[in-house]
Each structure stands twice: as C-alpha cells, then as structure tokens.
Amino acid sequence: MASSLSPSQQQALAQVLEFTGNSDTDVAVGVLSAVDWDVQRAAEMIFGGGPTPTPAPVPVTPSTPAIMEEFEIDDSEVDLGGTSTPRPTPGHTASLPTLLLRPLLSLLSLPLTLLSSLLRLLLTALRIPLPRALLTTYTPFRGLTFLRFASSANRNGGRTHPRNARGGGAERWVRELEEETGAVCLGRAGLGSSSALQTTSTSEGGSSLTNRAGNAVDGMDFGDEEEGGRRMLPDFALCGYEEALRTAQREARIACIVLVSEEHDDVAEFKRTTLTSPSFLRTLHTNNILTWGGDVSSPEAHSAAQKLHATTFPFIAFLALQPPRTPRSHTPHTPSHTPSSPPQLTVLSRHAGPSTPTSGPTSAHTLTTHLTTTLLPRITPFLHTIHAQQRTRALERAMREEQDRAFALGAQRDRDRLTQKALEAETARLQQQQEAEAREEAERQRQREEEEEVRRAEERMAWRRWTRRSFALAEADANGGGKALRLAIRLPTGQRLVHAFAGDADLTDLYAYIDAQLIPASLPASEDPSSPPKISSVAPATPKTVLETYIASAPSASAYWGFTVASSFPRVEIPWEKGVELAGVKALEGGGQVVVEVLNGGRSSPRASLDGKGKGKEEEDDDGYDTEED
C-alpha cells in the first residue's frame, strides 16, 4: 500500500509511525486517510482524544436506514494506580514530550498487563470468582485500540455495527457470566465445550431454540454449594430477545428475562447468589421456564430494558401467554374481543432492585416463593390448556396428514387401475384390429386362391376341349392303318368305354382320349376351340407335339393331367411318359382293361370323378370289376 502513496503522504506516514512506535502501516494509513493526511490532527486523534473524523454522508435510500447510531470510544489512558489521565479538550494539542513519553509508558506497563491477564486466566480455570478490578483487561495504550477501530471503520466506508462496536451478544454475556461467577450453565454441565444455539425447523413452519445440551440436564445435581457441589447457572437461551419471546409464545412456556447493568454495585452479588441458587435453578428447570439474560450495555438487552420499562437493576421479569383482557366498561353490543381471540404474551411480574441472599425483590428466596406460591398456580392451568390444544391440533394435523396420505395412495391406486384398464383396452383393441386384419387378409387370400383355382380350371378345361377336337381328327386319320390295340377304360364316374387305338399310338394318345372323356356334357364338341389356349398361332406341328411341349412346361405331368391310369389286374400304374407307345407297355400287351384314378392331394381315388370345375365326387354305381384297392 505504501508504494502507491505520494511523497508527501509517505512522509506523513513515516512521522506517525515514528512517534507512535507502531509498525502497523495499514492502521496508520487508515487514520491519516480519515483526517486528510494531516499529521497534527492524526496525533490529536491518537493521543489527545480529538474529535473523531466525520465520515462522508451516506445517501438515504429505501434500503438504507435513515438513522445512524453513533458510539463513543473511550480511548483515555489508565495508569497503574487506577487514575485516569485527563483527556484534552477538543482542539487541544499535546506537547512533544507527552507524545514521546506515551510509548515509553506503554512499554513499561506491558509486564503488568500480561501478569493481570495470566492471573485472570488462572482464576477462571479454577472457577474462582474474579475481583471486579480484573474484569477489565488493561490496555494502557488506548490509542492503538482506537487506531484499529478507526481503520475498520475506514474500510467499511465510515460505518460501524453497534454489536461489533460494543462486542455484545447473548453468548458472550453468558460466557462472561460463567467466568465471573465460576459457575456453569445447566446446558453445559458435564460437557467439555459450549455449543452455539441451534435453530431447527418445526411443523409450524418457524424455528425452535435448542439449549446447549438439550435434555442432558435431567436428573442432574443443581450444585448445593454447602455440600461441595458444582455451582450452576440457568440454561440461558443463546438468541435475541425477540426470538426468545417468540419461542416462549410458540411453545407456551414461561419466559424469565434477566437484565443487569455493570454500573450498579448490586449486580455482582445478584449474579453470585440469585443466579446460582440451587432452589431457584431447580424451580426454573422443573417448570421448563425459558431464561434469557443480558447486560443493558448491549443493544439487544438495552432494547429489552426499554420495552420492559426496566430502570433499576438487577431486573427480572416473568412473561407468559394470557387470555386477552376485557375492559371493565363496554357495551354488550361492542365486545372487546371474541371468544376466538388468541392469547397474548403478557408481563406477569417485575422484580428490580438490590437484595440480600435471603430477602429483597431479586433474592433467590423471594423469586422462588413468588414462582411456587403465586405465579405458577395462576399461570400453569392456562398453559396446560394451551398445551392440550396444541397436542390436539398436532393430533388433528397428524390425522389430516395421514388421511391425505391415504387419499393420495387411494387416488394413485385408482389412477394405476384406470391406466391398467386403459392399457388392457388398448391392447385388446389392437389385438382385435390385428385379428380383423388377419381375417381380411385370409379372406382376400382365399378369394385370390379361388379365383386362381377357377382360372386354372377354366384354362385346364380349354386345353381339354382343344385336345378333344385336335386328337379326334388325329384319331380319324390314324384309324386307317396298323394293327389296332383294343382297351377297355373304366372312368372315375364308373362309365366303361372300349376304344381301339392305332398300333403306333403312345401314352399321350391314351391320356388325351381319357382327358377328353372328362369334359362335361354341357360343353358340346362343336364349340371346342381350334387352337390351344395362350397360343395365338400354331406353328406347323402336330397337336401331340404342342400338347407334349405344354406338359413339359408344367410342374409335373400328373399335375397337368390330374389323374393316373393303372391296369385292373394285376394293378400296375401306368404313368404318362413322352414317346412311349402303348404296344411297348407290358401291362397293355394284347389289350386289356385300365382304370382311371383321379389324383386328390397326391393320392389316387378310383371312385372320384371330375365335375365341370375339375372337382371330384363319389359315385354309388359300380360296373362289377374289382381292383386291388377294392
């Protein structure tokens, strides 16, 4: 920081460090900055108690408090004899010898200060009440204290917090009280170190105060000093005054507010006798009385003293919830409150002033008697009523929450059930849709197969009719020469035909003749086509060659003919083969009888016949011939 100063500022800083004997550059720079780098004013501020530099005005905004509280800083010197060095009046300039002697005096008093601090630490460790002379830490060189405070104020823009300036707080006051009395709070009894106040959430949406050791003080000895027991203090709540009142109001407890002032000589006796009295502590703890205390030198306790109208110290007030008061005079038509008016936190009693260990307004005997004989019998029934109402409300709230959980669980089950039903319905709908589509597809496939079957049957019938016409002409031409072969043919309908084939006839002639006989009578021969189906013009070839060529393009010969021929006895199947003459078939040597069997699913049936569409049917008539199947 010193490197960024101008030469004149560095010279002023060196002068201040020289006559103060302090090496804290930041503190000195803070003081000089506050007085516009005037060395004379800085010396007056440090040693002469000159006027504190006024910070720059802060503009008042809606978020900035308009009222700023000013604090006095006591930077007067305290010598070993206990007399205070008179502070120069504002504007007075200390002489140069005085400026030079002050650091020397501070150095000489340093061993005494250390000895005082060591003695105080030893007495505190032994739980011995400290003399009032040792309650204040000696700081001979008060100028350095002011330097630190001024530096802190300068870094914060000239603003200081009242709590930081006075070093107050409930926890600090309790700690100092324990050091002064040599006692320990009930919440810390048996613990190695104190713990800060904890704030936990409650079902009301607020916060609850937890004492330092919770409920660890149940069944504990309250320290009867005559029997050599450990001295105890009330379990003070480590929070603010307003927070303590809110806790007492929320939990329907009696609040005991303790206010003291170090300026009163009777406070030390009150701390050592009343606050450590076993009977008083037992009464407070047994009746679950919330205790809060503080010194009026702190802002929190000072505010509490103003609200409780405390002017004499030590001061104790008891507060608790009470029903709203009804004025003595009011008309029946304008009641002061309704039966549903909530109870209000009311000051039950105030006790202030000096007292002896056994008498006086703030003695332990007086306070204990007042609690047990007057206050508790009058207040406890109403507080018990509030506690019962709170338990009832808590039970009702728990029942409502349980009902809400059960309702939510039932609603969730209903939603799950509806969702499951909707899912099942959707699954069933999709399944039905798929089944309907499958049925439609099967129906379309069946129709296509039927149409294809009809087309094949029509096409097959067209080939039969063409075969009948073409092979009838060819037979007429062949009847004129060669040795004929006479065959008896039994059709699937039971009809028996006798036909003489030419000597050079082959199996194609036999199968073509039989195929022509399967044409229904409703289709006359005069209407038979002169050309084969699917052939626009016939090449110069015989009908037999055309037919054999078409049969070769079919999947199989049996698939085209749809029937097979077999000798009657012994039964020998005669399959169709191209170019095989009838005279070369051993089963047909010299003629004979053959049976036509319709192929049905790959099996031959001698009693099946072909209707007009090529479908077989059973006939009851018989020509008297037996085959091997019969």
Side-chain angles (χ1 to χ4, degrees):
M1 178 181 295
S3 60
S4 61
L5 301 177
S6 64
S8 60
Q9 292 176 345
Q10 292 180 358
Q11 183 179 2
L13 176 61
Q15 293 177 3
V16 171
L17 294 177
E18 181 180 358
F19 65 71
T20 59
N22 186 17
S23 60
D24 194 344
T25 306
D26 295 338
V27 174
V29 171
V31 175
L32 288 172
S33 300
V35 295
D36 296 332
W37 296 90
D38 189 343
V39 179
Q40 184 68 23
R41 293 175 58 190
E44 293 176 359
M45 182 186 301
I46 297 172
F47 302 112
T52 304
T54 304
V58 180
V60 178
T61 62
S63 61
T64 305
I67 300 176
M68 303 296 292
E69 185 176 359
E70 297 183 359
F71 297 91
E72 270 189 353
I73 305 302
D74 183 11
D75 58 344
S76 61
E77 292 291 332
V78 179
D79 57 11
L80 298 178
T83 60
S84 301
T85 304
R87 299 177 55 183
T89 57
H92 174 73
T93 304
S95 60
L96 183 59
T98 304
L99 297 178
L100 297 177
L101 286 176
R102 288 183 184 272
L104 182 59
L105 294 176
S106 300
L107 184 61
L108 293 176
S109 62
L110 181 59
L112 297 178
T113 303
L114 296 177
L115 181 60
S116 175
S117 300
L118 182 60
L119 181 59
R120 177 178 177 177
L121 178 62
L122 181 61
L123 295 178
T124 302
L126 297 177
R127 297 295 180 181
I128 299 177
L130 300 177
R132 296 183 59 86
L134 295 177
L135 293 178
T136 304
T137 301
Y138 289 103
T139 308
F141 194 14
R142 292 296 182 109
L144 292 181
T145 303
F146 180 78
L147 277 175
R148 294 187 180 91
F149 177 72
S151 176
S152 175
N154 183 59
R155 285 193 297 269
N156 291 284
R159 296 185 298 272
T160 59
H161 196 277
R163 187 177 300 275
N164 295 334
R166 296 189 179 183
E171 186 173 3
R172 178 175 180 178
W173 180 79
V174 171
R175 186 168 58 251
E176 293 176 353
L177 179 62
E178 291 177 338
E179 294 175 355
E180 180 180 354
T181 59
V184 62
C185 288
L186 291 176
R188 294 180 56 186
L191 301 179
S193 61
S194 62
S195 58
L197 175 68
Q198 299 177 353
T199 303
T200 57
S201 299
T202 62
S203 58
E204 299 291 341
S207 62
S208 65
L209 300 180
T210 304
N211 291 331
R212 296 194 189 187
N215 295 327
V217 297
D218 293 341
M220 180 179 295
D221 184 11
F222 288 91
D224 193 350
E225 195 169 2
E226 286 75 7
E227 300 177 0
R230 192 176 185 181
R231 303 183 67 186
M232 299 292 178
L233 287 171
D235 193 10
F236 289 99
L238 304 182
C239 62
Y241 171 71
E242 296 295 337
E243 182 66 21
L245 295 186
R246 284 193 294 269
T247 303
Q249 183 175 7
R250 181 175 58 252
E251 300 178 1
R253 298 169 60 186
I254 300 175
C256 175
I257 308 300
V258 180
L259 298 176
V260 297
S261 175
E262 293 298 335
E263 298 179 359
H264 291 69
D265 297 333
D266 302 317
V267 168
E269 183 67 22
F270 168 77
K271 293 178 180 178
R272 288 192 295 268
T273 58
T274 301
L275 296 184
T276 60
S277 172
S279 59
F280 182 58
L281 296 183
R282 186 176 294 104
T283 303
L284 294 178
H285 176 66
T286 304
N287 296 279
N288 195 24
I289 297 178
L290 188 147
T291 309
W292 184 90
D295 194 301
V296 293
S297 60
S298 66
E300 191 76 29
H302 179 71
S303 175
Q306 289 182 338
K307 295 176 181 178
L308 296 175
H309 306 288
T311 56
T312 304
F313 301 97
F315 175 87
I316 292 182
F318 294 98
L319 300 87
L321 289 175
Q322 288 291 282
R325 295 182 179 180
T326 304
R328 294 181 178 274
S329 59
H330 63 277
T331 60
H333 302 285
T334 58
S336 60
H337 69 281
T338 61
S340 61
S341 298
Q344 299 176 356
L345 197 62
T346 307
V347 178
L348 305 176
S349 62
R350 294 181 177 87
H351 310 267
S355 60
T356 63
T358 58
S359 63
T362 57
S363 66
H365 176 73
T366 302
L367 295 175
T368 304
T369 304
H370 171 71
L371 286 173
T372 55
T373 60
T374 304
L375 193 142
L376 290 175
R378 181 167 60 92
I379 300 302
T380 302
F382 181 71
L383 295 183
H384 286 174
T385 302
I386 296 179
H387 292 159
Q389 294 175 355
Q390 291 178 348
R391 287 192 296 269
T392 302
R393 286 194 296 268
L395 181 59
E396 293 175 352
R397 182 167 56 250
M399 294 177 59
R400 286 195 300 269
E401 292 176 355
E402 184 66 25
Q403 291 174 357
D404 293 341
R405 284 193 296 268
F407 176 78
L409 184 60
Q412 183 63 33
R413 285 198 297 265
D414 293 341
R415 286 192 295 268
D416 294 343
R417 203 160 37 242
L418 294 176
T419 303
Q420 183 66 22
K421 288 184 178 180
L423 183 60
E424 293 176 354
E426 181 65 16
T427 303
R429 186 187 66 81
L430 293 177
Q431 185 176 0
Q432 292 176 359
Q433 182 179 357
Q434 293 175 357
E435 293 176 354
E437 293 176 355
R439 287 194 299 270
E440 292 177 358
E441 182 63 24
E443 181 66 20
R444 288 193 295 268
Q445 182 66 21
R446 186 186 63 79
Q447 292 178 359
R448 286 194 297 268
E449 292 177 354
E450 289 180 355
E451 292 174 358
E452 181 64 18
E453 184 69 20
V454 170
R455 185 192 65 77
R456 286 197 301 267
E458 291 176 354
E459 182 180 351
R460 182 70 180 85
M461 186 58 65
W463 276 99
R464 281 177 179 167
R465 298 184 67 182
W466 175 81
T467 300
R468 182 174 64 176
R469 179 171 182 175
S470 299
F471 277 78
L473 296 176
E475 181 183 2
D477 295 338
N479 286 335
K483 186 177 180 180
L485 181 65
R486 187 179 182 84
L487 294 176
I489 303 172
R490 182 187 174 202
L491 298 178
T493 59
Q495 182 182 1
R496 185 172 180 273
L497 300 175
V498 179
H499 186 74
F501 291 91
D504 57 351
D506 56 10
L507 291 176
T508 302
D509 296 323
L510 175 61
Y511 272 80
Y513 176 77
I514 296 174
D515 194 30
Q517 302 305 317
L518 300 178
I519 299 174
S522 60
L523 299 176
S526 59
E527 297 180 1
D528 291 343
S530 59
S531 60
K534 295 186 178 181
I535 298 179
S536 58
S537 61
V538 180
T542 61
K544 184 183 297 185
T545 303
V546 175
L547 181 60
E548 291 176 348
T549 302
Y550 181 74
I551 293 174
S553 64
S556 64
S558 59
Y560 171 78
W561 294 113
F563 60 88
T564 185
V565 177
S567 60
S568 59
F569 186 83
R571 185 184 184 282
V572 178
E573 188 173 344
I574 306 173
W576 177 87
E577 293 183 13
K578 180 181 177 181
V580 177
E581 294 183 356
L582 297 177
V585 179
K586 184 177 180 180
L588 300 178
E589 292 179 354
Q593 180 174 333
V594 295
V595 179
V596 179
E597 298 176 354
V598 178
L599 298 177
N600 184 13
R603 297 178 58 188
S604 60
S605 176
R607 299 185 180 276
S609 65
L610 297 175
D611 57 7
K613 295 184 180 181
K615 299 182 179 180
K617 62 181 179 179
E618 297 292 335
E619 296 290 344
E620 296 296 334
D621 55 335
D622 189 3
D623 59 354
Y625 290 94
D626 295 331
T627 63
E628 290 183 355
E629 289 187 0
D630 296 336

